[in-house]
Amino acid sequence: MKKELYNQLLELSPQLKKEFLPSISIDCVVFGFHDASLKVLLLKLNGSKEWGLPGGYLHKDEDLNEAANRILKDRTGAQDIYLNQFKTFGKRNRSEAFFKDFPDDLWHKQRYVSIAHYALIDYSTVNPVVDTFSEACEWKDINDLPEFMMDHEDIFNAALLQLRRDLNYKPVGYNLLPEKFTMPELQKLYEIILDKKLNRGNFYRKMTRYAILEKLNETRKGGAHKAPDLYKFDEEKYKAALANGLQESW
Amino acid sequence: MKKELYNQLLELSPQLKKEFLPSISIDCVVFGFHDASLKVLLLKLNGSKEWGLPGGYLHKDEDLNEAANRILKDRTGAQDIYLNQFKTFGKRNRSEAFFKDFPDDLWHKQRYVSIAHYALIDYSTVNPVVDTFSEACEWKDINDLPEFMMDHEDIFNAALLQLRRDLNYKPVGYNLLPEKFTMPELQKLYEIILDKKLNRGNFYRKMTRYAILEKLNETRKGGAHKAPDLYKFDEEKYKAALANGLQESW
C-alpha cells in the first residue's frame, strides 16, 4: 500500500473510532445485469494490486440496514435498492493481516466481522463512484474476475451461491428486463445467473406455476421464427412473491 | 432483574471485556423435533419474567462458527450439530435498553449486533443446561411460546421463516425420523415444520424428484389400512443435496 494512503487513513482513525462500532464491517456484493451479462462492482484501493468489495462501517447510532444502504449509495449513487443480507463472515485473521505492517493505532487494523449483503441491479442505471481512497471502481465480468483482497473472493462466491438459491423462492427480473419480454428472454436471465442451460419446457411450466407473469396479447415481431408471446410481470403478485415466497415453494 | 444477578454479571465484566470482541453477540435458535411436535430451546435469566435464546459472545481469537458451536454445546451438551447462520440483527436499541437501569461498566450494557444461527435436532438426544445466570432452560412448544426478551421474538420468527425456506433447497429429516419411515411420516414432518397440510400426491412426486430416498422392500405392518412402503434416506445423495442443493431446485 502507498505511504500516502496509509497517512490518509491514519489521520482519519480517531474520527472513525469515535463514529463507528468497533470490529464490525459491512460488505456489499453488487451484481449488475445488462444485455445478457452479469457483472460485479469492485474497487481497487490506491496502490493496491488486488480488488475488493465496496464496504464500510456501522455508525454507533445507525441501524444495520441503514448502514448497508448508505454504503451502497455512496458507491453507486443508487438509492432504494433492496439489499439481501446473506451471511456474516467471522473467521479470525480474515482482515487482521491486511494492515499487518502498520501501527496499531490505525482504525483499519483490527479484527472485523463483516456482515455481507448482495443486490442485483441493472448496471446501466448506476454510476460507480471512485473515492479518495480508491483508484478504480468498476464493473467486472463474473467470468473474468481480478485477484481479490482479504476473503472477498469467498464473500463473492457465497453471494453468488445465495443469489442462485434465492431463485427457488424469490422472483427475479423486475427492473432487469424490459417491461415486456418473451419467455426465452426470461429464461436467458435465469441461465446467466445460474450459469447453466435450462430445459425450455421445464422452465415454461415452472414459471407458469409461479403465477407472477401476465401474458399479453402481443408477440415479439421481426424474427425469422414464429413470433414469441410477450409477457410482463404482474406487479402485485411479483411483490407478494418477493415478500412471501413463490407459490411453487413448499 | 435481581440485584444478585447484576452483581454476578458486574463482577465478571472486566474478564469478559478482556476475552471477547465488543458489540458482537451470537444467538442460537435451537429447534427440537420429536414425536410430531416442534419446540424451541429457551432460557430464563434469574429474576427475569421473559425468556430468551441461548447466546454468548465471540472470543477475540475464535472463529465465528467455533463460537456458535461452543455456545450451543454449553447449553445443550450437543456436539457436531450443523448450525445454519441465517441473519445478523443490528437495529439500534435492540439490546441497549435491556440493562438501561444499570451502570455503564456492565459488559452486558452495550450495543450488540447479534449473529443468529438456527439448528434442527431431535430434542430427545440433548440435555438443556441451566447455568448460574439462568433459573430455567426448557423446550417450549412453538405454538405456545412465552414472552420474549429484547428482539428475540423477531429472531425466532426469522429463524422459523428461514427453516421453512431452506426446505426448498435443503433436505431435512435425517436424525429426526427413525432410520426407516413411511412417506406419510416424512410428509408429517414437513407439515409440522411448515404448519400446513400438504397434498399427498404432490408431496410424493416432489420427494421422488429430489432423489434422496431409497425405497425398501418392506412395509409398515400393523395398521388397519394397506401397509405403507418403508423408505430410508440414501445417505450419500442426502449429503450431496445438503452440500449442493436439491435436484428440484434451479
Side-chain angles (χ1 to χ4, degrees), chain A residues 15-16 18-22 24 26 56-64 66-68 70-71 74, chain B residues 90 92 96 111 113:
Chain A
Q15 184 62 25
L16 293 170
K18 215 158 82 182
E19 268 183 46
F20 295 105
L21 284 180
I24 295 171
I26 293 168
Y57 309 106
L58 178 59
H59 278 292
K60 285 181 178 168
D61 62 350
E62 185 182 35
D63 285 351
L64 174 57
E66 285 172 5
R70 169 180 54 76
I71 291 162
D74 287 352
Chain B
R92 59 180 181 274
E96 296 91 314
R111 178 176 174 187
V113 168

Side-chain angles (χ1 to χ4, degrees), chain A residues 183 201-213 246-249, chain B residues 202 206 209 248 250:
Chain A
M183 201 60 96
N202 287 347
F203 183 83
Y204 180 85
R205 275 187 294 278
K206 204 156 173 165
M207 266 303 144
T208 307
R209 282 202 302 266
Y210 284 176
I212 52 171
L213 295 179
L246 289 163
Q247 289 201 15
E248 169 69 0
S249 56
Chain B
N202 287 346
K206 203 156 173 166
R209 282 201 301 265
E248 170 70 0
W250 285 106

Side-chain angles (χ1 to χ4, degrees), chain A residues 181-203:
Chain A
F181 49 85
T182 66
M183 201 60 96
E185 286 164 358
L186 183 60
Q187 181 174 337
K188 185 75 191 157
L189 169 64
Y190 274 73
E191 289 180 340
I192 289 162
I193 295 173
L194 294 164
D195 193 28
K196 65 178 177 192
K197 288 275 165 206
L198 300 172
N199 175 283
R200 189 166 170 153
N202 287 347
F203 183 83

Side-chain angles (χ1 to χ4, degrees), chain A residues 21-24 58-64 66 85 87-92 111 113 115 162 165 167-170 190 194 196 198 203 206-207 209-210 242-245 248-250, chain B residues 21-24 58-64 66 85 87-92 111 113 115 162 165 167-170 190 194 196 198 203 206-207 209-210 242-245 248-250:
Chain A
L21 284 180
S23 295
I24 295 171
L58 178 59
H59 278 292
K60 285 181 178 168
D61 62 350
E62 185 182 35
D63 285 351
L64 174 57
E66 285 172 5
Q85 188 216 106
K87 193 176 172 185
T88 294
F89 291 78
K91 273 203 177 140
R92 59 182 181 276
R111 177 176 175 190
V113 168
I115 306 163
Q162 191 62 46
R165 286 184 163 172
L167 291 190
N168 291 304
Y169 61 85
K170 279 183 199 171
Y190 274 73
L194 294 164
K196 65 178 177 192
L198 300 172
F203 183 83
K206 204 156 173 165
M207 266 303 144
R209 282 202 302 266
Y210 284 176
L242 207 54
N244 309 317
E248 169 69 0
S249 56
W250 285 106
Chain B
L21 284 181
S23 297
I24 295 170
L58 178 59
H59 278 293
K60 285 181 179 169
D61 62 350
E62 186 182 35
D63 285 351
L64 174 57
E66 286 171 6
Q85 189 216 105
K87 193 178 172 184
T88 294
F89 290 78
K91 273 201 178 144
R92 59 180 181 274
R111 178 176 174 187
V113 168
I115 305 163
Q162 191 62 47
R165 286 183 163 173
L167 291 190
N168 291 305
Y169 63 84
K170 280 184 197 169
Y190 274 73
L194 294 165
K196 66 178 177 193
L198 299 172
F203 183 83
K206 203 156 173 166
M207 266 303 145
R209 282 201 301 265
Y210 284 176
L242 208 53
N244 309 318
E248 170 70 0
S249 56
W250 285 106

Side-chain angles (χ1 to χ4, degrees), chain A residues 103-143:
Chain A
D104 288 344
D105 49 0
L106 191 68
W107 161 261
H108 308 76
K109 188 188 176 181
Q110 51 175 314
R111 177 176 175 190
Y112 286 104
V113 168
S114 186
I115 306 163
H117 297 67
Y118 83 82
L120 179 57
I121 58 183
D122 180 341
Y123 68 73
S124 70
T125 65
V126 300
N127 295 308
V129 177
V130 183
D131 63 20
T132 51
F133 309 115
S134 315
E135 56 185 56
C137 183
E138 293 172 13
W139 291 106
K140 298 285 184 189
D141 195 287
I142 67 159
N143 296 309

